[in-house]
Amino acid sequence: MDTLLSVENLSVSFKTDEGVITPVQGVSFTVARGKTLGLVGESGSGKSVSTKALMRLLPGSATIAPEAKMHYLDKHDKLIEIEKLKGKGAPIRALRGGEIGMIFQEPMASFSPVYTIGNQMIEAIRLHKKLGKREARAHAIEMLDKVGISNPQARVDQYPHEMSGGMRQRAMIALALSAGPALLIADEPTTALDVTIQAQVLELMSDLQKDLGMGMIFITHDLGVIAQIADEVAVMYLGTIVERGPTRDVIHNPAHPYTVGLLEAIPSLDRLDERLKPVPGDIPSPNERPQGCPFQTRCQHVVDGLCNQTAPLETPLAAGHSVRCWLHDEKGKSAA
Amino acid sequence: MATITDGQGPQETPNTQDTRQTKKETRAERKERERLLKYYSASQWTLIWWRFRRHRAAMVAAAVLAIMAVLGIFAEFVAPYGPTTRDTKYIDGAPQIPLFCDHNGCSLRPFIHGVKTERDSVTLRAISVPDPETRVFVNFFVSGERTRLLGLFPTTIHLFGLDDPKAKIHLWGTDDLGRDVFSRTMYATRTSLSIGTLGVLISFVLALVIGGTAGFFGGMIDNVIQRITEIIRVVPIIPLYMGLAAAMPKEWSTTQVYFAMTLILGLFGWPTLARRVRSQLLSIRNEDYVVAATLAGAKPSRIIGQHMLPSFTSFIIVDLVISFPYMILSETALSFVGLGLRPPTVSWGVLLQQAQSIRAIEQTPWLFIPAVFVVVAVLAFTVIGDGLRDAADPYGGK
Amino acid sequence: MLRFTFERALGMIVTMFFVSIMVFFIMEIPPGDYADRYAFRKYSGTGVNVTEADIQAIRRELGLDKGMIFRYFDWIGGIVLRGDFGQAFAFETSVVKVIGDKAWLTLGILFSTLLITYIVSIPVGIYAAVRRGSAADYGLTIFSYLGLALPNFLLALILLYFANKYFDADIGGLFSPRYADAPWSLGKFWDLITHLWLPAFVLAWSAVAYQIQTVRATMSDELNKLSVTAARARGVPEAKLLIKYPARLAINPVVSTIGFDVNRIFSELPIVAVVLGLTELGELLLRAYLDLDMYVAGAILLLLTAMIVIMNFVSDLLLAWLDPRIKLGA
């Protein structure tokens, strides 16, 4: 497999008034060229922080633990050690946008309201491609056309507030892709959209991905969306990956109680007469991390003296499928 | 208890969780839990007070302001002399700082030097100079001028004074008529703070009525009121005040002038506040919880009193506090140029009238002491306003 | 845009109409009869014995025997149609003559003050927001608190004192004695410039303090916006990013409060003018009030307000040009 990005042992901590919190702890994952990794979890599980760390977009109060490794293979097959780059300067800027593009949940807020869509696209294009103004504009129009915006020649000169929500999200995708990144990070791109538009945007994204041969990290809290778009999935809970594996495998044979809970929480047409089963309880705040397994406070199968004492290690189940849960560990099985 | 907690589902009540926890709960943990419980059940005002208390600068400012208010309220007691009492033996005199030691040795009780009269060698005018050979002792709670405390209770006791009834102490010096700057500043503090308070109250009532009418009725009434507000906001405020102040008849008594001034300040202080009341009312009117209350059949009076008012009184209070400095600065400025309060009334502005020239800075800099009061009072109100704003904003968790 | 401009201009005229009514009321408030004061001024010291009949004559001559509404329209009509603001009896000439040059000097002071205000407060406010929580930021916060608390007539006095003591310079006034009554020339103009900075500095003091806080607050908000993170994620260089994205929007509240600043400056002008000995409208206004020379006072109040209204209009247009979202609402 052709690995585009590999992240190992990523931990991020923030200094706050209440002390140091660590919303991401020892996260590792890889993204293959042209494939999609889905990152799933509730808000506060550390999905967004991990990808922001990858782009070095974290605020000054955040530190990335020194043992973290974020290796990226760029378009010229040069290995870039992202964790070693300076937070400012040409190398990281070339990476941002040019190699790794990013789209966000709220398209309205991610555009500056006082510049046209075209202005912001042309800026991005000219930062990463050696194009003149006119060529950049032509490229911007071409990108808008590619994401399915009708009449792109006129739309390019419109302001974000002059577009509808779905169109803005398409424009946002066009903007992120205009500089030709090899990896796209999509941070809950469909959450703020209507269901029908959501489906259109998902289809568009997977088409574009095949078209451009991009790798993609798709962040969402919705396992249903993951099933449609991701090749691999990693389920995050309170800053750690609790289960990972090929999407089909994880969805059909979920191993972690949390994954099971997330799947049961999806409304389904087949089970209309059943009640929805939400995952009980709330995700603890990062400064009140439970001891042992992070999920033990909400887990129905908690083993006293084990789950609330020691954090489980990653246990392989099948090819590429692994879980962090005592129930699947020899030691845990005997204790239960 | 612990034996029956093995079940799942409905039995997982907070109660069973509690029993599980009490086993391990240390004293510190319990305290923490109680603290949280107290926090979550505290009322809005208690929360604001807690947050305000954490704002150290605002607490200091509040203390300073409280001291100022006390000084002003009890001016008759704090000030050794009346605001117009003249000491002809000590004109344009420098501040007399109580001493414990001088070249003749030390004393356990504070004293000041006596005053003797000499002729200036150049102008031959009689001038007062300190006489380092004599000592007059300072004492607390001495009997002195007869005054009425708060204007009501006759008394002769003053906070401090001199043992020798014939000598006078001028902590902050005297002006060109020999009046005690310290005493005058105390009385001025009362005037200036009270005029600010009355002005703010008047504009507050006006703002509530006008803004409330606009915000509650909306439509045409709102449009008209908006226009009027806009027109008042567009005229420069001090020149406007000046115009009204200039119209005060010269023969008016000091009391009439005083109340006219509060009216003038209050009469045009409301537009900003009224806008706030209006916009708050308009936005709250469509809030879900107000709509819900209406649908639930609550009476309008209950909706306004129980649901609408509490949600923005804190903002109104912040605005009130913030509008104090404008009142104080306006009064000071108007009196400073002779269009506000008139002598013999003393206010900070009236006192500063004597300090208009460079000559005053050079020769009698102590006449600027009231300016320090102005700056400190305005600063204090601004800092308290900021502290309150931070405390009142539930989302401002900076 | 054209329609927007037209609408705002119309609003401006309506506002000025109501303002003129208010100003007229203020002119009418002072107790006693204008004719009495006029007669007193005109004949005091001349030994002429003024009779009730004389006063009646003056009253008729000045149109004071007519109703208030008539007098208002007479007054405002004179201003709009003939540029005639009435008589300044304390000066025994027309208001226009009394005001004359002083209006231009006032504008000079106003614009130099605004210039200083924005040149200082915008970059400093942006800097404070970017360096939020640093020593420089705290220092600036303390400064702006002081700026708001220190009455500017005190600041003027302090500056005068220091200039006097350490530079032995008389920096008050608007002209050196040599040029005070001289006709306009290049030399006089330069003399004015060298005198203008002090009142401009004093008047800008509190405006700067206020605007620094505004810019800092907006800039801090803007810095946390997703659009800034998004632009950074596209690889926009930091300096360009700051200017193009958050700073561009942080200027908006400054632009929208230009009228407010002008209002504040005019509010403080009469008092600062007294201390600094400036011969412009603020000082004249104060004198007119003290003399109850209400035609002069009314004219000045009207002119100052007109300037504020015009600057509000300018600020509306600027804002519409700066922020594309506004035209929608127009």
Side-chain angles (χ1 to χ4, degrees):
Chain A
M1 201 161 67
D2 190 3
T3 304
L4 181 62
L5 171 81
S6 86
V7 173
E8 267 172 58
N9 226 345
L10 174 67
S11 298
V12 182
S13 42
F14 285 84
K15 265 188 237 128
T16 69
D17 293 342
E18 276 89 36
V20 177
I21 57 167
T22 310
V24 175
Q25 283 191 342
V27 163
S28 309
F29 57 79
T30 56
V31 181
R33 208 177 282 278
K35 297 283 180 192
T36 300
L37 169 73
L39 271 182
V40 194
E42 285 164 285
S43 34
S45 59
K47 312 162 290 191
S48 295
V49 174
S50 322
T51 48
K52 284 213 173 105
L54 202 56
M55 295 284 271
R56 304 294 300 272
L57 286 174
L58 294 169
S61 56
T63 37
I64 298 172
E67 68 271 14
K69 282 197 174 70
M70 298 182 281
H71 289 180
Y72 174 82
L73 206 60
D74 78 358
K75 288 174 193 160
H76 315 287
D77 282 335
K78 205 177 107 204
L79 187 75
I80 298 176
E81 296 169 290
I82 299 176
E83 75 279 1
K84 288 188 184 149
L85 292 181
K86 287 204 199 86
K88 282 175 187 171
I92 186 72
R93 284 209 310 272
L95 191 79
R96 290 175 185 162
E99 290 287 342
I100 308 179
M102 199 160 184
I103 57 180
F104 301 90
Q105 183 174 347
E106 293 163 68
M108 188 64 196
S110 22
F111 279 110
S112 169
V114 293
Y115 300 102
T116 58
I117 304 278
N119 177 311
Q120 297 177 62
M121 286 183 79
I122 292 167
E123 178 192 51
I125 294 167
R126 298 197 61 198
L127 276 171
H128 298 287
K129 293 187 168 175
K130 290 191 186 75
L131 289 180
K133 259 197 181 138
R134 196 168 301 159
E135 294 153 297
R137 188 183 156 85
H139 184 62
I141 293 171
E142 189 189 322
M143 285 311 295
L144 286 177
D145 189 44
K146 218 175 206 155
V147 297
I149 288 179
S150 57
N151 197 3
Q153 283 88 349
R155 294 283 182 194
V156 76
D157 291 322
Q158 280 191 335
Y159 288 96
H161 66 263
E162 294 171 301
M163 292 182 162
S164 67
M167 193 145 31
R168 248 180 250 140
Q169 191 58 286
R170 285 168 191 266
M172 187 70 221
I173 294 169
L175 173 57
L177 298 185
S178 57
L183 173 66
L184 182 68
I185 299 175
D187 190 348
E188 308 226 15
T190 55
T191 310
L193 301 176
D194 290 344
V195 185
T196 46
I197 298 170
Q198 203 173 333
Q200 289 174 15
V201 169
L202 276 181
E203 199 186 305
L204 169 74
M205 289 185 73
S206 71
D207 285 354
L208 282 171
Q209 187 196 8
K210 273 181 215 118
D211 229 35
L212 304 170
M214 278 187 312
M216 183 149 84
I217 300 179
F218 196 98
I219 303 176
T220 180
H221 59 264
D222 188 347
L223 263 179
V225 169
I226 288 293
Q228 293 174 56
I229 199 158
D231 302 299
E232 301 250 330
V233 60
V235 181
M236 278 188 87
Y237 186 81
L238 213 60
T240 43
I241 292 178
V242 292
E243 183 166 6
R244 78 169 84 231
T247 307
R248 288 185 65 88
D249 212 12
V250 171
I251 283 178
H252 290 295
N253 304 306
H256 198 280
Y258 181 60
T259 318
V260 176
L262 281 181
L263 282 166
E264 281 177 351
I266 302 173
S268 158
L269 288 175
D270 307 334
R271 295 178 280 140
L272 277 180
D273 45 350
E274 281 172 47
R275 290 191 69 139
L276 281 180
K277 283 196 209 145
V279 183
D282 282 323
I283 192 161
S285 89
N287 48 6
E288 289 166 2
R289 270 188 100 78
Q291 208 191 348
C293 171
F295 191 59
Q296 53 115 333
T297 53
R298 296 166 75 182
C299 185
Q300 305 199 353
H301 312 284
V302 62
V303 183
D304 197 24
L306 185 65
C307 293
N308 51 13
Q309 294 297 324
T310 336
L313 295 173
E314 198 163 359
T315 317
L317 298 173
H321 190 170
S322 63
V323 66
R324 271 177 202 266
C325 180
W326 285 121
L327 298 174
H328 301 276
D329 187 276
E330 289 309 319
K331 207 165 129 200
K333 272 177 193 156
S334 56
Chain B
M1 274 291 276
T3 46
I4 51 161
T5 54
D6 271 337
Q8 284 178 355
Q11 272 180 321
E12 280 280 319
T13 56
N15 192 13
T16 56
Q17 258 179 1
D18 263 7
T19 41
R20 205 193 299 167
Q21 271 169 14
T22 29
K23 271 198 271 179
K24 288 177 287 180
E25 193 180 64
T26 64
R27 183 174 292 171
E29 274 170 353
R30 184 153 70 226
K31 260 194 181 150
E32 173 70 11
R33 195 163 51 87
E34 279 163 4
R35 192 187 68 83
L36 283 176
L37 191 72
K38 215 170 122 195
Y39 187 81
Y40 288 125
S41 56
S43 79
Q44 181 199 7
W45 296 106
T46 322
L47 281 177
I48 290 178
W49 167 238
W50 282 347
R51 276 194 295 255
F52 182 73
R53 224 168 33 182
R54 280 211 311 228
H55 202 297
R56 201 166 300 158
M59 283 304 282
V60 172
V64 168
L65 215 54
I67 292 171
M68 253 192 205
V70 168
L71 289 180
I73 291 170
F74 299 105
E76 284 90 353
F77 171 68
V78 177
Y81 313 108
T84 50
T85 308
R86 293 168 65 169
D87 181 358
T88 45
K89 275 185 260 160
Y90 200 63
I91 283 171
D92 276 342
Q96 298 169 318
I97 316 290
L99 306 166
F100 286 95
C101 287
D102 66 0
H103 63 280
N104 286 332
C106 287
S107 131
L108 274 177
R109 286 176 57 197
F111 62 87
I112 59 167
H113 286 138
V115 173
K116 63 183 179 191
T117 314
E118 277 177 4
R119 292 233 166 248
D120 189 298
S121 52
V122 186
T123 61
L124 296 182
R125 260 177 52 205
I127 51 162
S128 312
V129 289
D131 175 7
E133 295 312 317
T134 57
R135 285 180 176 184
V136 196
F137 289 99
V138 180
N139 214 338
F140 286 101
F141 303 108
V142 295
S143 177
E145 256 177 65
R146 181 170 293 278
T147 56
R148 282 168 178 274
L149 192 58
L150 303 170
L152 294 172
F153 313 106
T155 176
T156 57
I157 304 294
H158 293 267
L159 178 63
F160 66 95
L162 295 179
D163 279 348
D164 180 0
K166 272 174 273 168
K168 283 187 166 145
I169 178 170
H170 301 293
L171 267 191
W172 293 346
T174 57
D175 66 5
D176 57 348
L177 294 175
R179 293 174 298 197
D180 182 39
V181 174
F182 179 82
S183 301
R184 283 167 73 73
T185 309
M186 293 305 117
Y187 284 95
T189 302
R190 171 193 291 174
T191 318
S192 291
L193 284 184
S194 67
I195 228 173
T197 312
L198 284 175
V200 165
L201 282 182
I202 292 172
S203 56
F204 173 59
V205 171
L206 283 173
L208 272 190
V209 172
I210 297 170
T213 313
F216 198 76
F217 293 104
M220 193 60 202
I221 297 175
D222 182 31
N223 269 336
V224 171
I225 290 179
Q226 280 294 95
R227 261 259 106 83
I228 296 172
T229 314
E230 202 179 301
I231 286 156
I232 291 181
R233 277 170 65 89
V234 97
V235 181
I237 194 79
I238 300 244
L240 187 67
Y241 284 154
M242 284 176 161
L244 296 169
M248 283 190 288
K250 294 278 184 289
E251 60 276 10
W252 273 11
S253 73
T254 49
T255 330
Q256 279 175 311
V257 170
Y258 174 85
F259 283 109
M261 276 298 291
T262 57
L263 260 180
I264 291 172
L265 291 177
L267 222 48
F268 289 98
W270 56 266
T272 318
L273 211 52
R275 264 164 75 114
R276 165 78 85 162
V277 174
R278 171 188 169 270
S279 62
Q280 289 284 339
L281 272 177
L282 280 181
S283 68
I284 289 172
R285 216 164 55 155
N286 299 324
E287 283 291 338
D288 288 345
Y289 64 89
V290 173
V291 175
T294 320
L295 289 177
K299 276 183 287 185
S301 60
R302 188 179 161 76
I303 295 174
I304 296 174
Q306 286 285 313
H307 299 285
M308 290 171 98
L309 266 180
S311 65
F312 70 96
T313 29
S314 54
F315 291 101
I316 301 280
I317 287 172
V318 171
D319 279 352
L320 267 185
V321 173
I322 288 173
S323 60
F324 257 99
Y326 292 106
M327 294 285 169
I328 290 173
L329 285 176
S330 301
E331 186 276 319
T332 308
L334 289 181
S335 303
F336 178 77
V337 294
L339 278 171
L341 299 172
R342 301 168 190 157
T345 309
V346 283
S347 75
W348 291 333
V350 172
L351 292 187
L352 285 173
Q353 247 183 314
Q354 295 175 314
Q356 272 193 359
S357 61
I358 305 184
R359 226 192 36 188
I361 302 187
E362 278 165 354
Q363 293 172 359
T364 50
W366 49 90
L367 293 181
F368 282 93
I369 290 174
V372 177
F373 274 67
V374 177
V375 173
V376 170
V378 170
L379 260 182
F381 275 117
T382 315
V383 172
I384 292 174
D386 277 11
L388 274 178
R389 182 169 36 205
D390 290 350
D393 183 3
Y395 305 108
K398 280 190 277 192
Chain C
M1 191 71 192
L2 209 64
R3 196 172 146 216
F4 178 82
T5 312
F6 181 72
E7 277 175 7
R8 289 296 143 117
L10 206 67
M12 184 163 76
I13 291 165
V14 174
T15 307
M16 273 321 287
F17 171 68
F18 285 111
V19 167
S20 73
I21 293 177
M22 193 161 112
V23 169
F24 186 72
F25 268 114
I26 288 171
M27 290 165 64
E28 292 277 318
I29 297 175
D33 195 316
Y34 189 81
D36 283 333
R37 294 201 295 274
Y38 187 86
F40 177 77
R41 278 274 172 184
K42 195 166 178 187
Y43 298 113
S44 68
T46 57
V48 178
N49 225 343
V50 187
T51 62
E52 187 58 33
D54 290 336
I55 291 179
Q56 283 299 339
I58 292 170
R59 199 164 280 153
R60 215 167 307 125
E61 187 191 327
L62 295 174
L64 291 176
D65 51 344
K66 305 259 179 30
M68 208 181 189
I69 296 175
F70 177 85
R71 272 181 289 129
Y72 167 74
F73 281 105
D74 192 37
W75 174 69
I76 197 74
I79 294 171
V80 175
L81 300 174
R82 284 168 275 128
D84 173 12
F85 285 83
Q87 289 290 310
F89 69 79
F91 301 88
E92 291 175 21
T93 176
S94 73
V95 173
V96 175
K97 277 221 177 86
V98 177
I99 291 177
D101 276 357
K102 290 183 177 166
W104 297 111
L105 291 179
T106 311
L107 278 188
I109 294 176
L110 172 68
F111 284 110
S112 33
T113 306
L114 287 178
L115 198 70
I116 293 183
T117 304
Y118 299 134
I119 285 183
V120 175
S121 61
I122 293 173
V124 170
I126 289 174
Y127 177 82
V130 174
R131 292 263 176 281
R132 206 175 165 162
S134 70
D137 181 29
Y138 282 119
L140 284 166
T141 308
I142 290 170
F143 160 79
S144 58
Y145 271 131
L146 272 179
L148 292 172
L150 193 66
N152 43 34
F153 59 85
L154 266 180
L155 177 71
L157 269 177
I158 294 168
L159 287 178
L160 274 185
Y161 171 70
F162 280 111
N164 219 3
K165 189 167 176 192
Y166 295 107
F167 304 105
D168 196 27
D170 178 24
I171 52 172
L174 280 176
F175 299 103
S176 314
R178 192 155 69 92
Y179 286 108
D181 292 313
W184 280 103
S185 65
L186 215 60
K188 183 172 181 173
F189 185 71
W190 178 244
D191 187 52
L192 175 67
I193 302 279
T194 57
H195 279 81
L196 217 46
W197 69 268
L198 180 69
F201 178 84
V202 172
L203 289 166
W205 177 263
S206 63
V208 165
Y210 186 84
Q211 290 292 12
I212 283 181
Q213 294 211 339
T214 315
V215 174
R216 179 180 175 275
T218 334
M219 186 72 185
S220 305
D221 279 359
E222 289 296 332
L223 277 174
N224 292 328
K225 287 263 171 82
L226 185 56
S227 57
V228 176
T229 311
R232 197 172 281 137
R234 296 197 294 271
V236 181
E238 205 62 19
K240 189 187 177 189
L241 180 94
L242 281 183
I243 293 168
K244 184 173 175 182
Y245 292 91
R248 167 74 164 67
L249 279 152
I251 290 173
N252 284 6
V254 175
V255 171
S256 70
T257 51
I258 290 178
F260 206 65
D261 284 332
V262 178
N263 191 317
R264 201 198 337 265
I265 290 165
F266 281 165
S267 228
E268 293 171 348
L269 191 55
I271 291 140
V272 172
V274 169
V275 177
L276 291 181
L278 309 176
T279 49
E280 45 64 69
L281 291 185
E283 179 259 4
L284 187 62
L285 176 69
L286 185 61
R287 247 193 308 154
Y289 276 144
L290 290 170
D291 291 344
L292 288 179
D293 196 349
M294 293 319 274
Y295 276 96
V296 176
I300 294 175
L301 203 51
L302 206 59
L303 284 180
L304 295 186
T305 312
M307 196 60 216
I308 295 170
V309 172
I310 290 171
M311 291 306 278
N312 265 336
F313 173 69
V314 170
S315 125
D316 277 352
L317 292 190
L318 267 179
L319 206 59
W321 175 65
L322 274 176
D323 194 332
R325 285 168 299 179
I326 285 173
K327 280 167 213 159
L328 269 185

